Amino acid sequence: MAVVLSLLAWTNAWAARPEFFVFDNGAGRGSWTPEQQAQTLKELGYDGISYNYTTPEDLARWQKAFAAVGLKIYGLYVHTYIDTEAFDPRLPEAIRLLKGTDTVLWITVRESKVKGNHDARAVDNVRRVADLAQAQGVQVALYGHAGFYVEHAADSARIVGTAKRKNVGASINLCHEFMSGVGDRLDATLKAVAPLATRVSINGVDLAARTWITRLDQGDFDMVRYLQQLKAAGYEGPIGLQAYNVPGDPRQNLAANIATWRRIATQFEERAAGAPAQNVLTAREQAEGWRLLFDGRTTSGWKGFGKRDFPTQGWVVEDGTIKGLGKKGGDIITTTSYGDFEFAWDWRLSFQGNSGIKYFVDESRGNAGGAIGHEYQTIDDDNYTVMSLNERQKTGAWYDVIPAAKTAARPVGEWNTSRLVVRGTTVEHWLNGVLVLGYDITSEQAARGIATSKFKDVKGFADKIRTPLLLQDHDTVVWFRNLKIRELDAR
């Protein structure tokens, strides 16, 4: 029994989502007020922020602003020096303000003008700050920064190991591993340093372009694998987002990053030991007549709209999902058509994503924009910028015809579960267990909606026909899984 309980505890620890905060350099540093920073991060779903230390007075204002919205300040970034006074003489005042908080002093050791071995001075700096912090019950983390004396995670761990202070941990800062030229040692670094680490920072990385700081939704670095390695090596703390000098509007970047973090964190959880199986039917579902439309491994049962075969580009099977890459692969449809049915599926959008499920589709009817049919709309309602959305173009709507009566979508980056029920002339759109739209194809409501839509001149658009199920390619990344259907008796 003890072994079982231990295994369960280990599994649950793996599945826990780390807290996620952003550096102030990605939250309007120098242009946003602390109150604006706190409110924006609260609205978007961040857990908090880390700040570059300036003065105790600034820190007090930051603390007040973030306490007001229930968010944390995860780090106070502070420089120490080899050649001059070790640190700002007012730092002890700031440390006293940190008493009773979760804020970590995130300290650097700057490089000396005279290159050489300065470990003794670096260790002395760390010990002095650590002793001041210990008196207030505050933790310290040693920040590796490219070009500084403590340059990367291995340097951080070396100095921490020599300093021997219980309230001092190391740091792993992804961009600085690459910027300091040791990114090729990352696997070994994580194994050695993660057990000692108090803080970790990440950011998008484009290895091919040698760009070491990008938005999380950009670049080619496998962040899910990185989080798995951190966890396996023993790191249990929060994750910070480095955003130094990333171009673009700060709020839009923050929205893109948190959406991507949700997706990354979800993938991380799904790869953990004990995660629920996907793309399978329960015994009850089988008894109720459900059939899988996707086995999680192949594209069997699917083809390109208006084509004989599955597209050779634009769609892939990845991690148990059908993933649309947003690269003009075209819409895909089931090879079987249905009359009265209940269709269920999970879907997830990328930041500013746009897709949908179409039904009452006829392969002889389409245009350059894709198939024409009724569409269960799925879109990033909050961030889509290609056009200004009206209510008939938002998630859950019969696209451009009848709006959803309720909103029930989860934040972009998370999985949603939808159902489409067609029986007789009635149609239902369900989203995350909520009936968001019900209509009758023959009703005045449907006729009015069509008459004021882009489909008003499409012959037979209102007709119910046997239909394949269509997954839409709308030039953005989208994921589908757990696609299943059962045929119904007509009323």
Side-chain angles (χ1 to χ4, degrees), residues 101-414:
T101 74
D102 293 326
T103 306
V104 164
L105 277 174
W106 216 347
I107 67 172
T108 70
V109 180
R110 302 291 293 264
E111 181 59 278
S112 172
K113 293 179 181 178
V114 179
K115 297 295 179 70
N117 187 328
H118 299 289
D119 276 17
R121 174 69 179 195
V123 168
D124 182 63
N125 285 0
V126 171
R127 286 174 172 167
R128 289 178 63 186
V129 174
D131 291 345
L132 289 168
Q134 182 61 45
Q136 305 300 328
V138 173
Q139 296 293 308
V140 178
L142 184 54
Y143 189 108
H145 188 297
F148 289 9
Y149 184 73
V150 174
E151 192 167 21
H152 46 67
D155 283 346
S156 174
R158 184 184 77 250
I159 299 301
V160 167
T162 305
K164 298 186 186 305
R165 291 294 189 268
K166 291 182 179 179
N167 65 324
V168 178
S171 293
I172 305 171
N173 302 296
L174 183 61
C175 66
H176 291 294
E177 295 302 295
F178 288 104
M179 292 170 72
S180 60
V182 296
D184 58 338
R185 307 176 205 167
L186 200 53
D187 290 0
T189 296
L190 294 180
K191 291 178 182 177
V193 181
L196 307 173
T198 305
R199 288 290 182 267
V200 165
S201 70
I202 63 171
N203 47 264
V205 174
D206 194 325
L207 298 171
R210 297 181 61 80
T211 301
W212 308 132
I213 305 178
T214 69
R215 280 189 350 193
L216 279 180
D217 60 332
Q218 300 167 346
D220 55 10
F221 184 78
D222 187 346
M223 195 62 68
V224 178
R225 178 176 179 270
Y226 182 71
L227 291 177
Q228 287 181 299
Q229 291 176 297
L230 273 174
K231 194 72 170 181
Y235 182 71
E236 298 285 346
I239 303 291
L241 174 67
Q242 169 65 265
Y244 177 73
N245 216 27
V246 174
D249 175 74
R251 195 184 198 287
Q252 186 174 82
N253 286 347
L254 285 168
N257 281 316
I258 194 68
T260 308
W261 169 254
R262 292 189 190 104
R263 189 260 301 167
I264 290 168
T266 300
Q267 288 180 273
F268 167 68
E269 291 161 358
E270 289 168 349
R271 293 184 191 180
Q278 306 296 331
N279 305 302
V280 295
L281 295 177
T282 65
R284 179 176 178 177
E285 287 173 327
Q286 293 179 51
E288 291 174 344
W290 289 93
R291 292 188 294 108
L292 284 176
L293 294 177
F294 171 57
D295 62 12
R297 302 181 305 277
T298 71
T299 60
S300 176
W302 294 86
K303 71 184 192 73
F305 175 76
K307 298 180 173 63
R308 291 181 54 189
D309 302 312
F310 195 84
T312 57
Q313 65 177 30
W315 293 89
V316 296
V317 174
E318 177 185 280
D319 249 359
T321 71
I322 297 180
K323 180 180 180 181
L325 302 177
K327 296 184 177 179
K328 301 190 182 304
D331 300 336
I332 58 174
I333 61 173
T334 57
T335 55
T336 301
S337 294
Y338 304 94
D340 291 278
F341 61 88
E342 182 175 4
F343 172 51
W345 72 102
D346 294 346
W347 55 275
R348 176 175 63 200
L349 295 174
S350 56
F351 177 68
Q352 297 182 337
N354 184 0
S355 185
I357 297 291
K358 290 186 181 181
Y359 53 102
F360 304 151
V361 168
D362 182 342
E363 284 189 274
S364 68
R365 186 173 66 185
N367 55 33
I372 293 176
H374 296 203
E375 179 182 346
Y376 182 126
Q377 169 76 320
T378 58
I379 194 167
D380 183 354
D381 292 338
D382 296 327
N383 301 296
Y384 196 69
T385 57
V386 174
M387 63 182 184
S388 180
L389 301 178
N390 63 48
E391 294 305 309
R392 301 196 301 184
Q393 296 166 328
K394 292 184 177 181
T395 296
W398 171 9
Y399 176 73
D400 207 41
V401 180
I402 303 176
K406 300 177 182 177
T407 58
R410 298 191 178 113
V412 65
E414 300 280 6

Side-chain angles (χ1 to χ4, degrees), residues 8-23:
L8 286 173
W10 180 81
T11 299
N12 290 335
W14 260 76
R17 181 173 299 193
E19 294 178 14
F20 188 58
F21 65 96
V22 64
F23 288 25

